[in-house]
Amino acid sequence: MRRSSMLRLVGLALLWGSGFLWIKLSLRGFTPVQIVLVRLALGALVLAPIGLARGMRFPTDKRVWGHLFVAALVANAIPYTLFGIGEKTVDSNVAGVINATTPLWTVLVAFLAGTDRKVSAWRGVGLALGFAGTVLIFSPWKSANEIASWGGLAILAASASYGISYVYMGKYLTNRGIPSIMLSASQLAAGAGLMLLAMPFGGLVAPHWRWDAVASLVVLGVLGTGVAYVLNYRLIADEGPTVASTTTYLLPVVAVVLGALAVNEPVTVTMVAGMLIVLGGVFLVQRTAAARKPEPEPVAISD
């Protein structure tokens, strides 16, 4: 894996690894629909001026915008809302385990769509190890009843939607000569437009203006959505959707490390073992993907 891609992978893991916490805190003052609308709008408002100031332009092709709205639906509007609904009744550790099914959904969707039907044995082992390591870190058997709840099913559906989005974005939006900043800003703007249509269904409730909820929502929109999506698009373009989706496996590793460093949360032997297994699984997926990938051509995308 190229050094630039590895840095993007780590950056995404850092930004998204704390996402469950920001969602939990945001729910103290806002409904799921309000959270999704604001985070998407904030992400677009941060990225668009940066791209325009650097001489970049929004896409003008109607077909590209059609693909952007589909991508916004399956990558933003649907999963973000479902995660907000799910985390009302499901703890963040359970949400993290269910979210770790995203790479498995990505492989399945890529196979069915015909974009990647070369699933090697070692790659399959890597995906299985990543999921197993995530399970070890979070130990969801302590909350098994939550996994089989409606909230758990909502998060599972969100993870499947993420899997669809990785493949869709990789097939229809990357490597088209459109700067990743403008692709990200356009998709987030399209997602905000979709969420405006959903406002009558849970978005018209008066919010509670708590400082922690507002601050969490700002972080979620500016960093966890705007900046993260630029990294995500570049990673999909450079390494493919399956490898990019393994970012999901690194999120619990980041959560455990940040918890230990920031608030002195205990780190158990099981957690350490899980983190090592996760890293081994991600390594296998990336190694096998790189081994069968031809020498990459320059990507016509700039940050």
Side-chain angles (χ1 to χ4, degrees), residues 57-72:
R57 294 292 179 264
F58 286 103
T60 56
D61 192 327
K62 293 181 180 179
R63 290 173 298 178
V64 171
W65 274 103
H67 291 312
L68 284 167
F69 270 97
V70 174

Side-chain angles (χ1 to χ4, degrees), residues 210-223:
R210 296 171 51 117
W211 73 267
D212 53 350
V214 173
S216 298
L217 189 51
V218 171
V219 172
L220 195 61
V222 175
L223 299 179

Side-chain angles (χ1 to χ4, degrees), residues 28 34 64 81-83 85-86 95 97 99 105 109 119 174 189 194 242 247 260 276 292:
R28 293 178 176 180
Q34 291 169 345
V64 171
T81 303
L82 289 177
F83 264 102
I85 293 172
V97 170
N99 187 50
W105 287 112
V109 174
V119 183
T174 60
L194 292 174
T242 299
T247 307
L276 293 175
R292 61 181 180 77

Side-chain angles (χ1 to χ4, degrees), residues 12-268:
L12 266 179
L14 290 171
L15 290 171
W16 284 346
S18 57
F20 299 121
L21 172 62
W22 303 130
I23 292 173
K24 274 286 188 187
L25 293 176
S26 298
L27 284 169
R28 293 178 176 180
F30 306 95
T31 68
V33 173
Q34 291 169 345
I35 290 171
V36 178
L37 172 62
V38 173
R39 70 179 291 189
L40 293 178
L42 280 176
L45 288 173
V46 167
L47 295 181
I50 295 174
L52 294 173
R54 296 175 61 179
M56 302 174 187
R57 294 292 179 264
F58 286 103
T60 56
D61 192 327
K62 293 181 180 179
R63 290 173 298 178
V64 171
W65 274 103
H67 291 312
L68 284 167
F69 270 97
V70 174
L73 181 66
V74 296
N76 305 121
I78 291 176
Y80 286 3
T81 303
L82 289 177
F83 264 102
I85 293 172
E87 286 204 61
K88 278 190 165 185
T89 57
V90 170
D91 289 338
S92 58
N93 64 328
V94 176
V97 170
I98 300 175
N99 187 50
T101 61
T102 295
L104 306 178
W105 287 112
T106 304
V107 170
L108 176 62
V109 174
F111 183 84
L112 294 176
T115 59
D116 188 356
R117 292 189 170 175
K118 297 179 181 179
V119 183
S120 67
W122 282 113
R123 196 179 193 187
V125 169
L127 290 167
L129 282 176
F131 182 72
T134 303
V135 172
L136 271 181
I137 292 172
F138 284 132
S139 302
W141 46 83
K142 298 175 182 177
S143 307
N145 59 324
E146 293 183 22
I147 296 178
S149 67
W150 286 111
L153 291 175
I155 293 173
L156 183 65
S159 302
S161 189
Y162 278 145
I164 294 171
S165 73
Y166 274 107
V167 177
Y168 191 90
M169 290 156 65
K171 184 174 182 179
Y172 294 109
L173 289 170
T174 60
N175 297 322
R176 287 178 171 265
I178 304 172
S180 56
I181 286 182
M182 301 313 292
L183 269 179
S184 301
S186 300
Q187 180 180 322
L188 296 177
L194 292 174
M195 293 311 299
L196 280 175
L197 299 177
M199 283 296 285
F201 307 97
L204 301 181
V205 180
H208 300 290
W209 297 101
R210 296 171 51 117
W211 73 267
D212 53 350
V214 173
S216 298
L217 189 51
V218 171
V219 172
L220 195 61
V222 175
L223 299 179
T225 306
V227 175
Y229 254 84
V230 177
L231 301 178
N232 192 47
Y233 259 117
R234 280 301 301 266
L235 198 57
I236 294 173
D238 292 346
E239 304 296 335
T242 299
V243 174
S245 69
T246 57
T247 307
T248 308
Y249 288 154
L250 296 177
L251 304 190
V253 176
V254 171
V256 170
V257 173
L258 288 179
L261 294 177
V263 292
N264 295 318
E265 290 183 348
V267 178
T268 65

